[in-house]
Amino acid sequence: MDFPSPRSNLVKLQTYKPNFGKSKTNNLIRLSANESALGASLDAIEALKSFSKDLNRYPPQVSDELVNAISKRYSIEKKKIILGNGSDELISILAQTFLNTNDEAIYTEFGFLQFPQAISIAGAKGVVANDVNFTANVDNILSKINKNTKMIFLANPNNPTGTFIPKKEMMRLHESIPSNILLVYDAAYSEYVVNNDYSDGSELAGENENVIMLRTFSKLHGLASLRLGWGYASEKIIDNLMKVRGPFSVNTAAIMAGIAALEDLEFQNKSVKHNLKWMSWFEKELQSLNLDFQYSITNFLLIRFPCNNKHNAQNAENFLASKGILVRGMKVYGLPNHLRVSIGNETQNLRFLEELKIFLEN
Ligand SMILES: Cc1ncc(COP(=O)(O)O)c(C=O)c1O
């Protein structure tokens, strides 16, 4: 019997599979999804307590209150903000809005997996620009541009490498591309960054009609379960995206918690401090274990394991999982010898190291 076949460009596509483990217990230490180490802001949790009042009502199509709160927190223009059901939704609708079948979209070698996924789903051609030392490279991106290029997707800092392109290079990239190419600047981890030579892309997106900056509430703000992200771009881009975005894709709970989280600067500062402290701890500990890793400006680390003995990445992932510690295997990114580990809370970090040492000693 015939089966209703999906669009032909979906046939070879793999479903995105996070590593959340198989166990049903809540005791798992989950360092596999770059989530907030300290949970969520208590103010956001409090805000959700009054949520049940209007369950029968649709959320606003665009919450002015949340847009105002974002605009105030990040000193940016209200009319250039778009809200989304996680920044993942915005990545998808960007590809669907701007890519025709014959268009090409560039993404980087070890860039965020949702980029090639969204490009393929839109039915366009993804083109890979090679990294240099696990870092996106402006010249390699520029070398891939041709008359069919319509978009460039770039996470800065990048997931899963944790590396970044400095502000000057980002400016050079933008100056070197034609104005009909849309630069998607995904700054999901920007709030963790303290480096002076980094820019989150808000300036580029605020001043140019061919740049969109993407942000999320899933990382620093710790609201991953509510699915809330936002973009910052010219009104022309926003208007077109709103034609494609689900009319009510951002729910009321996310709006309420998002506003409260933005105002809780104490929680945000505490999270950044925690991250910096434990990132340097991880660096020292990994060095003393002779494990190679990428210096990261995010809340996670990409660690390289030996490939020619039993202490390889797959065995490490399995061993840690057997101890209830989840990390992210990187085969799907073409990095079979690496694991990505998110910074957790103190107890989780210490447990991870303890088990990692046992694995390497045996
Ligand atoms: C670079 C990057 N962009 C976007 C996202 C998705 O964020 P959200 O939870 O807002 O969909 C992630 C999540 O891991 C990410 O690493």
Side-chain angles (χ1 to χ4, degrees):
M1 220 174 24
D2 273 350
F3 176 79
S5 53
R7 284 161 50 215
S8 52
N9 54 310
L10 301 184
V11 174
K12 286 197 186 137
L13 208 65
Q14 301 283 323
T15 306
Y16 182 86
K17 290 193 187 85
N19 180 12
F20 294 164
K22 292 188 185 82
S23 158
K24 295 253 182 316
T25 69
N26 286 330
N27 296 332
L28 284 176
I29 295 181
R30 190 153 106 180
L31 305 178
S32 57
N34 304 340
E35 294 154 330
S36 157
L38 301 183
S41 147
L42 291 180
D43 293 350
I45 295 167
E46 191 59 34
L48 285 175
K49 288 189 182 153
S50 57
F51 166 58
S52 56
K53 195 159 57 75
D54 284 329
L55 273 184
N56 59 323
R57 303 283 177 214
Y58 281 101
Q61 198 170 14
V62 176
S63 160
D64 289 336
E65 254 189 292
L66 178 54
V67 167
N68 286 343
I70 293 171
S71 156
K72 190 167 151 216
R73 169 68 181 82
Y74 296 106
S75 311
I76 54 175
E77 283 179 72
K78 289 178 208 171
K79 57 182 194 290
K80 294 185 174 174
I81 295 170
I82 182 169
L83 306 175
N85 188 265
S87 44
D88 276 348
E89 183 195 29
L90 297 173
I91 292 167
S92 299
I93 65 169
L94 273 159
Q96 287 163 31
T97 306
F98 289 98
L99 294 175
N100 288 304
T101 318
N102 293 325
D103 289 339
E104 295 187 3
I106 299 171
Y107 61 96
T108 59
E109 187 179 6
F110 301 123
F112 185 45
L113 270 189
Q114 287 299 331
F115 300 152
Q117 191 87 355
I119 297 164
S120 298
I121 293 168
K125 182 177 170 197
V127 176
V128 185
N130 283 346
D131 283 5
V132 174
N133 294 329
F134 294 91
T135 308
N137 181 272
V138 169
D139 290 316
N140 289 349
I141 295 171
L142 293 175
S143 76
K144 296 292 174 186
I145 293 178
N146 63 37
K147 64 177 182 0
N148 296 323
T149 309
K150 190 74 181 290
M151 298 179 85
I152 298 170
F153 285 89
L154 187 66
N156 200 32
N158 182 50
N159 170 20
T161 55
T163 56
F164 77 108
I165 300 185
K167 179 176 178 175
K168 240 171 117 182
E169 276 294 277
M170 278 308 302
M171 294 296 186
R172 182 167 78 85
L173 172 65
H174 179 257
E175 278 159 18
S176 312
I177 62 175
S179 60
N180 63 346
I181 294 181
L182 176 57
L183 175 61
V184 179
Y185 189 136
D186 182 346
Y189 299 92
S190 57
E191 281 125 332
Y192 289 107
V193 181
V194 293
N195 304 45
N196 290 332
D197 57 346
Y198 170 78
S199 156
D200 67 7
S202 49
E203 206 178 303
L204 267 183
E207 289 170 5
N208 299 284
E209 288 199 327
N210 67 334
V211 181
I212 181 163
M213 170 186 71
L214 298 182
R215 302 285 284 266
T216 179
F217 280 79
S218 303
K219 308 302 173 184
L220 183 82
H221 295 295
L223 300 182
S225 70
L226 292 174
R227 313 306 301 125
L228 184 59
W230 56 280
Y232 188 57
S234 64
E235 284 174 87
K236 275 189 198 159
I237 292 179
I238 304 287
D239 290 348
N240 281 298
L241 291 175
M242 284 304 286
K243 295 177 192 171
V244 180
R245 200 204 73 166
F248 307 110
S249 71
V250 177
N251 67 72
T252 309
I255 293 168
M256 293 170 77
I259 294 167
L262 283 171
E263 288 169 358
D264 191 351
L265 292 178
E266 201 181 320
F267 176 76
Q268 294 166 41
N269 293 336
K270 193 169 135 195
S271 299
V272 173
K273 256 198 192 153
H274 171 90
N275 194 59
L276 290 171
K277 172 181 159 189
W278 286 97
M279 182 60 83
S280 30
W281 176 85
F282 263 93
E283 287 168 357
K284 280 195 210 99
E285 297 294 343
L286 292 172
Q287 273 160 356
S288 72
L289 292 174
N290 279 327
L291 283 175
D292 194 14
F293 61 90
Q294 289 305 308
Y295 280 95
S296 166
I297 61 167
T298 62
N299 67 336
F300 58 85
L301 276 154
L302 185 65
I303 306 172
R304 190 180 148 89
F305 286 76
C307 55
N308 53 0
N309 63 37
K310 63 180 182 173
H311 295 138
N312 61 36
Q314 185 62 64
N315 287 345
E317 183 184 346
N318 294 346
F319 178 83
L320 290 166
S322 75
K323 303 293 173 186
I325 301 171
L326 300 179
V327 298
R328 186 73 154 113
M330 289 282 113
K331 275 192 194 133
V332 65
Y333 278 91
L335 295 167
N337 303 319
H338 288 76
L339 295 178
R340 191 194 65 197
V341 181
S342 315
I343 304 239
N345 64 29
E346 176 170 355
T347 315
Q348 295 168 335
N349 296 335
L350 295 174
R351 277 271 295 130
F352 166 79
L353 186 75
E354 182 183 285
E355 295 298 349
L356 181 65
K357 279 184 177 162
I358 294 172
F359 168 73
L360 292 171
E361 280 160 11
N362 286 289

